[in-house]
Amino acid sequence: LRAVVWWVLAVWANPREQVPVVFATALKAFDTKAELDPKCISDDTAVKFNSAVDSIIEQMMEKRKKKMRLGLRDLGGAVDYVGNQVKAACPTADLGRMQRAAEKLVRFCGDKANIEYEVKKTLKVAGTDIHSKVNGWIGAYKNQMTPENAGKELGDLLLAMEDASDRKAELY
């Protein structure tokens, strides 16, 4: 685990340059023509997101249902935070669909009834299977992938949440 955190800190030592690339690439999962001006993400926002990702990955790597649920909730919150900061800095920037998917992670992972998790086997949020998507996103950081790879994996994870519904929570 320390190796993961060390790598994230070493490779992502300059979040000002890396985080905008992650978000621009993630946004492409929702709209291949979408563009995000790197200037829309401030240094402070990039550093806060980077710090959040460090904590989120550390929490998820504990491989416990509650930690996974809270890590996913926090990931959604971190993406939503960046989305709000981008809107404030660049009102014409549109992270709408991506941000709504992140908000679903926050909402669904706020209630343990919406998550099904078995280590190395199953991870469903509101009935949506995101096991491979989460593994891909974590792997992008653990395996020293580029910010473009990390952004693609983040976009794929959030895109999977786009059609998730509250139906499982309604069953309880």
Side-chain angles (χ1 to χ4, degrees):
L1 182 58
R2 287 180 189 207
V4 172
V5 173
W6 174 85
W7 181 86
V8 170
L9 292 174
V11 172
W12 296 79
N14 190 350
R16 177 62 186 116
E17 293 176 8
Q18 307 297 330
V19 172
V21 174
V22 169
F23 272 81
T25 308
L27 190 57
K28 298 256 184 228
F30 293 88
D31 180 357
T32 57
K33 296 177 185 175
E35 297 290 330
L36 179 62
D37 185 343
K39 295 175 188 170
C40 294
I41 299 178
S42 72
D43 291 347
D44 183 56
T45 299
V47 168
K48 285 180 180 177
F49 179 77
N50 197 50
S51 177
V53 167
D54 291 343
S55 297
I56 290 163
I57 289 175
E58 189 171 331
Q59 188 172 30
M60 291 172 133
M61 294 306 293
E62 290 184 35
K63 298 180 182 176
R64 292 180 22 225
K65 182 178 179 177
K66 182 176 183 178
K67 296 293 186 173
M68 183 61 70
R69 177 176 64 85
L70 296 177
L72 288 167
R73 182 200 64 192
D74 294 348
L75 176 61
V79 170
D80 189 43
Y81 169 78
V82 173
N84 288 333
Q85 298 303 309
V86 166
K87 277 194 256 183
C90 300
T92 59
D94 185 13
L95 274 68
R97 287 177 58 203
M98 187 168 85
Q99 197 168 0
R100 283 189 296 278
E103 289 166 353
K104 284 185 177 189
L105 270 179
V106 172
R107 187 173 72 239
F108 294 142
C109 292
D111 182 350
K112 64 183 177 182
N114 287 319
I115 190 162
E116 181 183 337
Y117 179 60
E118 187 176 347
V119 178
K120 296 185 180 185
K121 291 184 180 179
T122 305
L123 176 56
K124 292 182 181 180
V125 174
T128 301
D129 184 358
I130 61 169
H131 187 251
S132 65
K133 306 297 183 191
V134 170
N135 285 344
W137 176 74
I138 290 173
Y141 287 90
K142 285 178 62 175
N143 297 321
Q144 303 181 15
M145 291 184 170
T146 65
E148 291 84 1
N149 291 112
K152 180 193 177 310
E153 297 297 338
L154 178 62
D156 289 348
L157 168 58
L158 293 170
L159 188 61
M161 289 304 303
E162 189 172 42
D163 293 327
S165 69
D166 285 309
R167 63 183 157 69
K168 181 167 181 158
E170 291 169 2
L171 297 174
Y172 291 94

